[in-house]
Amino acid sequence: MGSMNYNYKNSEVHRDMQVILEKSGIVRSFPKGTIIYRQGDMAEYFCYLKKGRVKVFMNSADGMEKILNTATHGEILGEGAFFDKKPRVSSARAVVASELIMIDEESLMELIKKYPRIAFELLEILSNRIRLLSAQIDAMTFMQADARIAQLLIESEAGGEIKLTHEEMAAVVGVSRVTVSKILGKFVKSGIISTEYGRVIIKNRDRLSEIVVK
């Protein structure tokens, strides 16, 4: 069974490329809750997340929301529609006050002239997107809810804790918020995780991994 990485951490560019991108393009600030780009819009730029946290999501025709990614510093956003010149398939919203570097076609061409390696890195990111989306489809099809949530916790851990809300987890793994709460409660009772002040802390990563592959 394929692994599941809902947060797309392979969209994070390498450290040297971060330095280059942070000196390029137009820096824009977005207050908490602000839409950065909308599903259906034409993409005139892609974004590099310099500071903050951004939720990337899709809306269905009946208004249902599906979270694709909660991006943090160093990640690329909105590059798919930028490169294929078709309307965006997702929207992005600042979860906290955020700073993004907007890179348009002219800026990108200048970057590639100066740093040809960046073209290969962007291709790597696009390839990883495809691989991870395939893994997500696999996981949504074959994994039970507790396994999906266990894998999400493993993949979302940063600095020893997970900062996703129950609502975000539910939207990502395709179950109800009540189901997420019940499963997290079960994990807490088993000593696998602990929860405090809106955070989830993994106590037993090996046990979580066992739940994923059971």
Side-chain angles (χ1 to χ4, degrees):
M1 183 180 298
S3 65
M4 175 177 63
N5 184 330
Y6 288 102
N7 280 326
Y8 298 147
K9 292 307 176 188
N10 283 329
S11 65
E12 183 174 343
V13 299
H14 299 154
R15 192 64 57 187
D16 54 345
M17 290 297 102
Q18 288 186 18
V19 173
I20 292 169
L21 290 173
E22 290 188 8
K23 296 179 180 178
S24 309
I26 300 171
V27 181
R28 289 187 58 189
S29 297
F30 294 87
K32 177 181 178 181
T34 305
I35 290 290
I36 297 163
Y37 57 77
R38 293 184 184 277
Q39 184 174 333
D41 289 350
M42 296 303 295
E44 298 179 356
Y45 54 83
F46 67 93
C47 311
Y48 168 82
L49 183 51
K50 182 177 181 181
K51 179 181 178 182
R53 190 164 168 242
V54 171
K55 178 173 70 174
V56 180
F57 61 96
M58 298 175 66
N59 287 114
S60 64
D62 58 2
M64 294 292 290
E65 182 178 293
K66 166 70 174 175
I67 298 174
L68 302 176
N69 182 20
T70 301
T72 54
H73 169 254
E75 292 190 58
I76 295 291
L77 308 172
E79 77 287 352
F82 173 82
F83 285 113
D84 71 12
K85 304 301 182 185
K86 294 180 180 179
R88 295 193 184 277
V89 297
S90 62
S91 301
R93 178 187 293 116
V95 177
V96 298
S98 303
E99 290 183 4
L100 290 98
I101 295 175
M102 324 304 278
I103 301 174
D104 59 19
E105 186 171 348
E106 182 178 352
S107 300
L108 179 60
M109 293 304 295
E110 288 299 318
L111 280 173
I112 291 173
K113 286 179 183 177
K114 292 181 181 178
Y115 312 101
R117 179 68 188 174
I118 200 171
F120 289 93
E121 182 140 354
L122 289 170
L123 285 172
E124 181 182 347
I125 289 171
L126 287 168
S127 297
N128 281 328
R129 292 279 203 223
I130 295 170
R131 182 183 298 275
L132 294 169
L133 285 169
S134 296
Q136 181 173 351
I137 292 170
D138 176 40
M140 292 292 288
T141 302
F142 298 109
M143 296 178 81
Q144 295 181 351
D146 59 347
R148 282 183 255 163
I149 292 172
Q151 184 66 59
L152 176 60
L153 293 176
I154 291 170
E155 298 291 353
S156 301
E157 185 181 22
E161 64 183 49
I162 296 100
K163 296 182 179 179
L164 295 174
T165 65
H166 288 198
E167 289 83 357
E168 288 174 329
M169 291 184 195
V172 168
V173 302
V175 299
S176 70
R177 184 189 181 284
V178 172
T179 298
V180 170
S181 298
K182 287 181 178 178
I183 291 172
L184 291 181
K186 182 176 69 174
F187 289 172
V188 170
K189 288 180 181 178
S190 300
I192 298 171
I193 64 171
S194 64
T195 57
E196 53 183 63
Y197 307 110
R199 301 180 302 165
V200 176
I201 300 171
I202 295 176
K203 297 294 187 180
N204 191 333
R205 175 180 282 268
D206 290 341
R207 181 69 186 106
L208 273 182
S209 298
E210 290 173 4
I211 292 171
V212 172
V213 298
K214 70 179 182 180

